[in-house]
Amino acid sequence: MAWDTAGTRRRLLDAGARQFAARGFAGTTMDALSRDAGVNKERVYAYFGDKRGLFGAVLADRLGGLLDGAQVEGTGPAAVGAWAGQLFDRYRRTPDLARLLAWESLELDEAASADHRAATCRDRATHLRAALPGLDAARAQHLLLSVVTLVTGWWTLARLGDVVLTAGAGADPDAAADARRAALVAHVEALAGAA
């Protein structure tokens, strides 16, 4: 039987995403990775060199497309708010993205797949400038970082949300997320208006 190289690599990346999102680099073991992927841990070494190589590959795989497909459509602060809502929805569908972003900053000295991601960020900053005429490149980059930080924070700082948002304590998680999304869009609209 022929070895499914692409399938094995994909299973390792998927298992790595689950394990690293849950436990970070330091908390993830090779045994847990191999069990989750259903392959011998020697495959990690064969495909990625070591656990650090797999961690970098997982981050590049998952975070490289973080902003892909989410476009600022239209002009004005409402368009920027709607874009933040799209990003919020992406995290809601795939909450591991926010956790991987957090672990990347906690565990690495430099961003994974930095060149590709920087190009995507420059493109999104250009879209922000088109949506908000008069916004210069530096302010567009800061606005982009602020929006991504605000959206990511909702998913990575959930326990802080439990403490701060006492009015929604005990609320249905979906209803709480809907309320947070609406507040986030309004905040980003205000931020974009001030920019």
Side-chain angles (χ1 to χ4, degrees):
M1 178 165 109
W3 189 262
D4 181 7
T5 303
T8 300
R9 181 177 169 77
R10 175 51 44 203
R11 284 198 313 277
L12 284 166
L13 287 169
D14 292 345
R18 287 186 295 274
Q19 294 296 318
F20 292 132
R23 295 170 189 80
F25 176 78
T28 298
T29 66
M30 293 293 278
D31 288 333
L33 286 166
S34 66
R35 261 192 319 274
D36 190 332
V39 299
N40 185 300
K41 66 183 172 183
E42 296 304 318
R43 293 291 95 202
V44 175
Y45 298 109
Y47 290 100
F48 302 101
D50 57 14
K51 185 172 82 166
R52 173 109 14 225
L54 176 59
F55 187 52
V58 164
L59 293 174
D61 181 59
R62 293 303 202 266
L63 302 180
L66 178 68
L67 299 177
D68 291 352
Q71 303 290 336
V72 179
E73 297 174 2
T75 59
V80 179
W83 173 73
Q86 289 178 41
L87 188 56
F88 185 94
D89 295 341
R90 176 169 290 168
Y91 281 17
R92 192 175 196 175
R93 287 188 306 272
T94 317
D96 286 353
L97 290 173
R99 294 178 61 89
L100 288 170
L101 271 174
W103 284 117
E104 176 188 46
S105 291
L106 291 168
E107 308 242 29
L108 296 179
D109 293 331
E110 58 186 49
S113 189
D115 290 341
H116 169 73
R117 289 166 63 196
T120 301
C121 288
R122 283 190 300 274
D123 181 62
R124 291 312 171 272
T126 299
H127 289 213
L128 289 173
R129 290 181 72 192
L132 301 170
L135 192 66
D136 65 31
R139 289 187 346 195
Q141 291 169 359
H142 282 283
L143 179 60
L144 173 63
L145 180 59
S146 293
V147 171
V148 173
T149 301
L150 285 170
V151 176
T152 303
W154 170 248
W155 298 103
T156 57
L157 303 174
R159 300 303 64 87
L160 179 60
D162 294 344
V163 173
V164 173
L165 302 174
T166 57
D172 170 54
D174 286 334
D178 290 343
R180 185 62 194 141
R181 184 191 191 281
L184 173 81
V185 168
H187 293 156
V188 168
E189 285 181 19
L191 234 147

